[in-house]
Amino acid sequence: MNRIEKLKKDVYSFEELNTLEKNATKLNDNETLDLITISRASKTAKGEKPKSLVDEDGKPLTRRARREKN
């Protein structure tokens, strides 16, 4: 199963969608970006939520989030 089929079947997690979006943006792949948007909306409609990037105190949990905060 290739990437496009997996996006259509809503297989990827929110974290994987973030990575795919970053790569698709670099490659200017509009088809993939559209499918990512649809997949996120589908996951949200099903009640799934992305993992939080901050803890209860408001401190970023990931190295990337800490870097982007600055």
Side-chain angles (χ1 to χ4, degrees):
M1 190 180 308
N2 68 18
R3 165 185 46 82
I4 299 295
E5 290 174 14
K6 285 183 178 180
L7 278 169
K8 288 179 181 177
K9 294 184 184 215
D10 206 21
V11 173
Y12 292 113
S13 68
F14 278 106
E15 293 79 16
E16 292 169 323
L17 289 174
N18 290 339
T19 302
L20 284 172
E21 181 180 34
K22 182 178 74 171
N23 294 336
T25 301
K26 286 181 183 178
L27 297 173
N28 236 358
D29 186 357
N30 292 326
E31 179 184 10
T32 301
L33 290 171
D34 292 339
L35 289 172
I36 290 169
T37 303
I38 293 168
S39 182
R40 278 196 182 119
S42 171
K43 286 186 170 301
T44 303
K46 290 178 186 175
E48 293 182 39
K49 296 181 182 178
K51 291 181 182 175
S52 177
L53 297 177
V54 294
D55 63 5
E56 303 83 39
D57 301 328
K59 291 176 64 177
L61 294 174
T62 63
R63 181 181 288 175
R64 182 178 187 164
R66 288 191 297 268
R67 183 178 61 233
E68 288 179 355
K69 181 181 175 188
N70 295 334

